[in-house]
Amino acid sequence: MSTQDNRAHDIATPHGVSRRNFIATAAGVGAAVTIVPRHVLGRGLQAPSDLVNVAVVGVSGMGASNTRAVMSQNITALCDVDTALLDARLARWSEEAAPVGAAAARGGAGRQGTPAWPAWKDWGTTQAQQAANARFPADDPAANLQKFVGAASRIRKYQDYRVMFEQQKDIDAVIIATPDHMHAVIASAAMDLGKHVYVQKPMAWCVSEARHLARRAAETKVQAQCGNQRHSADENRRGVDYITSGVVGDVTQVHVWTNRPIWPQGIPRPTVATPADTRRGLISQQAVMQAGASTLAPTTAPPSTLAWDLFLGVAPVVEYSPIYHPFNWRGWVDWGQGALGDMGAHLIDFPVWSLDLDLPTAVETTSTPFNELTFPLATMTHYDFPAKGRRPAVRMTWYDGGFMPPTPEELDGDARLVTSGGILYIGTKGKLLCNEGMPPRLLPSTLHNSTGAPKETLARVPHQAHEMNWIRSIKGQDTLSSPFSYAAHLHEIMLLGLVSLRAKSKIHYDAANMRVTNNANANQYLTREYRDGWRS
């Protein structure tokens, strides 16, 4: 779609200032102002001019969670290629808004149900987080949901985001929570129209898309946030504070792991179910897997509620199978990025941030068998980062699918590496363990307890609310937690692991020229050729 003149889309506000121009100006100069003062309306009420008009593309899964988190704003449009999913989500929200049995919205990114490790002291919520929380009142999820449901009949629904952008001119900001392969093209179209964007992780399917998004965000000057919400969590920022304090010395190794995938991978593409030929008494592993996929989820016509061609979007045409949609697309190379794409933006984030890692010079991924259609059952990736300033070179190793790093000798009793995921930093003076769902802990426990909590050098995000941080940044009241200028760099590192996987070789990377120098064939995986009819 071509960029349209936003002046024609402005909605008049008092004093002759357009609402759209007010929001854009406030964001650009960092001004925290309102057009209709709150005291005029009464305590606790919010002026309509304070609200951001938000559209959501992809309302199932994380899209639903992101929508719940911004229901204090004005949700003006919902778009999903599957109208059944959209309608089911609206119905569920209506049920949750009922006075009895209302479900709580997803809270902040803080820990819940932290396992007890008696040998390690727990420092509690940081003072920086408490100060950040005091800057803004906490949202009332139940009240916000009631307001949303009460206004739901006025929300316009779409299947095609391009139609939404063409027909609806009151949209200020867009949440994009589609399958990974459509993140960049939708976000780019939104930014071209001057709309602020919140893009679920991974923000891009390939390296060139990540770089393009960062460039367009800078050019259009919109508020562009990546949806790696753990970036806004107090305990995660405390982990960064530990590393930058120097308490573990020079970090030379980092181990990062996850229990993903929790969806099918390493399987063939399903076809029409046919009986296996057993006459010779020999059935190959591939035949068993093919029969399983094709029997459980044979190719068929898509449901009438699903616009399958819109789901495919920029990707190649394949026949519909229920194994692909609505969740298992993550494991398929055409649409997802596997376990690394799902969790790398959360977990790799903190070593990149705390160690100020540049792009790697070499990357090597090894895996269980890879058929080039779905990602393998398990992978291990080595990233080599050059020395920088006084910091030595760093090797970071990623594990998924059950692969795990060795257990540190400093752990004993009930203390262990949590299998769901975590980060282990190896320094010259000690180690730092960031188990998923737990506070960061120095190893050994004597170092942890004698050191105390680290100096709080990083600012904290009010209420650890990643989506509302984006909203407040649009209004000029805050600074983005995970802007595209940072997130694109993080994603390029992450995606290079998949380039090595697909190239089936170690790669040496020339970051300045976005080029693999030792395997020319690998360069095709840094970018993507879009299907005809879709803008590149």
Side-chain angles (χ1 to χ4, degrees):
M1 296 177 64
S2 61
T3 303
Q4 300 182 34
D5 188 346
N6 286 333
R7 291 173 298 178
H9 308 160
D10 292 341
I11 300 173
T13 54
H15 312 300
V17 180
S18 75
R19 184 178 177 283
R20 181 179 299 277
N21 285 341
F22 160 72
I23 289 177
T25 301
V29 302
V33 297
T34 59
I35 295 176
V36 180
R38 288 185 178 88
H39 72 267
V40 174
L41 302 178
R43 184 174 179 81
L45 297 180
Q46 191 169 36
S49 54
D50 286 346
L51 302 180
V52 176
N53 286 346
V54 180
V56 183
V57 186
V59 299
S60 186
M62 283 306 300
S65 180
N66 299 147
T67 305
R68 283 296 304 266
V70 299
M71 280 186 180
S72 61
Q73 303 305 296
N74 187 27
I75 311 296
T76 60
L78 298 174
C79 179
D80 200 293
V81 298
D82 192 333
T83 59
L85 286 180
L86 195 161
D87 291 340
R89 179 58 59 179
L90 287 171
R92 180 174 175 180
W93 280 330
S94 294
E95 292 174 3
E96 292 174 350
V100 178
R106 175 176 66 84
R111 53 191 161 101
Q112 297 180 356
T114 302
W117 281 17
W120 280 263
K121 293 180 180 178
D122 190 348
W123 312 123
T125 304
T126 64
Q127 292 182 352
Q129 186 62 58
Q130 296 175 50
N133 293 347
R135 291 174 53 206
F136 299 98
D139 268 353
D140 183 338
N144 290 340
L145 181 60
Q146 290 276 358
K147 176 178 75 73
F148 171 85
V149 170
S153 62
R154 296 194 292 272
I155 298 172
R156 297 178 65 178
K157 297 188 293 184
Y158 301 87
Q159 274 192 303
D160 190 333
Y161 74 91
R162 297 168 299 182
V163 175
M164 180 183 75
F165 286 157
E166 181 67 29
Q167 293 185 358
Q168 194 154 345
K169 309 305 184 184
D170 63 346
I171 297 169
D172 302 313
V174 186
I175 292 172
I176 299 158
T178 63
D180 304 346
H181 69 296
M182 292 301 292
H183 287 178
V185 68
I186 300 174
S188 184
M191 290 190 289
D192 286 349
L193 293 170
K195 303 182 190 305
H196 309 284
V197 292
Y198 180 104
V199 181
Q200 256 306 322
K201 54 78 193 166
M203 65 182 285
W205 186 89
C206 61
V207 168
S208 62
E209 287 183 342
R211 290 195 175 196
H212 169 77
L213 290 182
R215 184 169 59 251
R216 286 304 290 147
E219 291 168 349
T220 59
K221 296 181 173 56
V222 300
Q223 297 296 311
Q225 175 107 301
C226 179
N228 54 333
Q229 70 274 4
R230 296 187 190 187
H231 199 82
S232 293
D234 184 32
E235 292 288 16
N236 292 336
R237 293 189 172 218
R238 174 176 273 158
V240 175
D241 284 337
Y242 267 125
I243 295 300
T244 57
S245 75
V247 65
V248 300
D250 290 331
V251 174
T252 57
Q253 297 180 56
V254 184
H255 300 276
V256 188
W257 68 97
T258 181
N259 65 346
R260 265 59 165 189
I262 54 174
W263 49 82
Q265 288 191 183
I267 61 174
R269 198 179 291 285
T271 59
V272 176
T274 56
D277 184 357
T278 60
R279 289 172 296 178
R280 296 170 56 191
L282 297 174
I283 302 178
S284 68
Q285 176 72 15
Q286 175 66 19
V288 171
M289 295 174 67
Q290 183 68 67
S294 299
T295 300
L296 289 172
T299 54
T300 185
S304 61
T305 58
L306 172 62
W308 181 240
D309 189 67
L310 293 178
F311 172 92
L312 294 174
V314 301
V317 174
V318 299
E319 291 185 90
Y320 167 79
S321 164
I323 205 171
Y324 301 141
H325 171 79
F327 179 71
N328 293 328
W329 52 263
R330 294 179 183 277
W332 296 88
V333 173
D334 283 345
W335 312 306
Q337 295 299 343
L340 183 55
D342 184 51
M343 293 303 295
H346 287 316
L347 297 168
I348 291 176
D349 180 11
F350 301 104
V352 171
W353 191 7
S354 61
L355 297 172
D356 191 21
L357 297 177
D358 291 330
L359 292 170
T361 54
V363 182
E364 183 173 20
T365 298
T366 56
S367 73
T368 56
F370 175 43
N371 64 11
E372 302 184 21
L373 297 173
T374 52
F375 291 101
L377 292 175
T379 69
M380 182 166 61
T381 302
H382 298 296
Y383 295 90
D384 291 320
F385 297 92
K388 184 175 185 178
R390 297 169 60 184
R391 174 182 58 69
V394 175
R395 164 161 279 203
M396 179 173 68
T397 304
W398 166 268
Y399 311 79
D400 64 44
F403 290 159
M404 294 275 290
T407 299
E409 61 184 11
E410 296 87 350
L411 295 183
D412 54 23
D414 292 334
R416 64 191 187 281
L417 299 182
V418 173
T419 57
S420 62
I423 309 164
L424 177 64
Y425 300 84
I426 311 295
T428 55
K429 298 179 182 179
K431 301 173 183 176
L432 179 70
L433 175 60
C434 302
N435 267 332
E436 191 171 61
M438 301 174 69
R441 287 174 169 134
L442 295 171
L443 306 181
S445 59
T446 52
L447 176 63
H448 180 86
N449 296 337
S450 63
T451 299
K455 182 179 180 181
E456 298 166 8
T457 59
L458 289 178
R460 295 322 198 244
V461 174
H463 308 289
Q464 305 176 79
H466 197 62
E467 295 92 342
M468 285 305 297
N469 163 261
W470 173 61
I471 292 293
R472 293 189 181 107
S473 297
I474 292 171
K475 297 178 181 182
Q477 300 170 346
D478 212 340
T479 302
L480 288 175
S481 173
S482 186
F484 280 10
S485 55
Y486 168 80
H489 176 81
L490 166 64
H491 279 73
E492 183 162 347
I493 294 170
M494 180 181 77
L495 291 167
L496 287 172
L498 300 179
V499 172
S500 173
L501 171 71
R502 298 182 70 191
K504 300 180 180 179
S505 77
K506 182 176 183 177
I507 61 172
H508 296 282
Y509 192 54
D510 175 1
N513 295 297
M514 202 184 85
R515 187 171 65 92
V516 176
T517 60
N518 66 314
N519 182 347
N521 182 61
N523 287 295
Q524 65 181 305
Y525 304 122
L526 296 171
T527 187
R528 179 171 213 168
E529 184 175 344
Y530 288 175
R531 187 159 62 106
D532 287 347
W534 294 87
R535 188 185 63 176
S536 59

